Each structure stands twice: as C-alpha cells, then as structure tokens.
Amino acid sequence: MDTEPIRIARKSGGEVEVEGPVDEFAFRILDRAGFIFRPTLRGMWIRLHFDTGHEHENQQATHAARMLSAAGYYVDLDPSLLPAAGHRSPVNGWPPRTSPSMPSPPPTVVLPPPAVAVTTPGPRR
C-alpha cells in the first residue's frame, strides 16, 4: 500500500471529498461507506451525496475512515468531521492535528490465550 494518506475532508463548497491513492480495495470500502464516484478529465471525483446533512455526512466520513484504517490504509480525516459525528477520539490515534484537548486513546492490552486442558479419551464401552 502507498504511504501517501487517503484524505477525507469537507471542501470549501461544503461537499465531503476523498483524495489520494485509492486502489480497488479502497474503492470498494468507500463505495460501501456511501461515497459515489464520478469520472472527470483529471481522474475520479470521489464524494458523498449532496444535501444529506452535515451530521450524516460526518458519520459516513468517519465510518469510511475507520474501515480504511482497519484495512491498513493511512487515512487523513479532516478533524471537523469528527465532533459532529459523536466521535471524540481520533481514528486509530490520528489525526494528530486535532485539538490537544482530545483524549488520547487508551493503551492496547494484549492478553495471552486461555490455557487449554488436554485430556485423553477413556476406554470405549
């Protein structure tokens, strides 16, 4: 995967757009999250539907960012898309450019697998 992030941001016109290296798998994730794809002379224009309301757009954008991040993509989510969606914590510890008042995610605790008792079968009757 590319090291350049996939950027999800609200543009000056109010629309939520995606820019950056979007391969076939990322395309499918964004499609699943509700983004639409329109061919242009410069490439593909990836955006959410217009007029669905800022709160719903924020929820869709945050959902897409979480799915992309879970799939291993580096995602740059516009911080203005987080608070209205009800997500106070950054997605996977990012974006670092959000306000310092946001709490950091809790440390990940890895537990060992449970012990499994091995038994031998008894005689058959």
Side-chain angles (χ1 to χ4, degrees):
M1 288 185 202
D2 204 332
T3 57
E4 181 185 350
I6 297 173
R7 290 176 198 81
I8 304 174
R10 185 174 303 281
K11 298 298 183 173
S12 59
E15 68 278 0
V16 177
E17 295 183 3
V18 175
E19 297 174 341
V22 176
D23 60 15
E24 182 65 28
F25 188 56
F27 175 93
R28 292 186 184 279
I29 291 172
L30 291 167
D31 181 53
R32 179 80 174 174
F35 283 82
I36 58 175
F37 303 82
R38 297 292 183 250
T40 67
L41 294 175
R42 295 185 179 179
M44 191 62 68
W45 182 27
I46 307 169
R47 63 171 175 84
L48 287 174
H49 289 274
F50 296 133
D51 302 327
T52 59
H54 281 246
E55 185 175 337
H56 187 256
E57 291 171 348
N58 292 354
Q59 290 171 350
Q60 284 183 285
T62 303
H63 180 62
R66 290 184 185 278
M67 287 194 299
L68 287 166
S69 183
Y73 292 94
Y74 178 64
V75 183
D76 181 18
L77 180 66
D78 185 347
S80 69
L81 296 172
L82 285 171
H87 299 286
R88 295 236 352 114
S89 62
V91 179
N92 282 352
W94 53 257
R97 59 191 172 122
T98 57
S99 69
S101 63
M102 292 183 68
S104 59
T108 303
V109 177
V110 179
L111 299 175
V116 178
V118 178
T119 58
T120 57
R124 290 188 158 190
R125 293 183 191 203

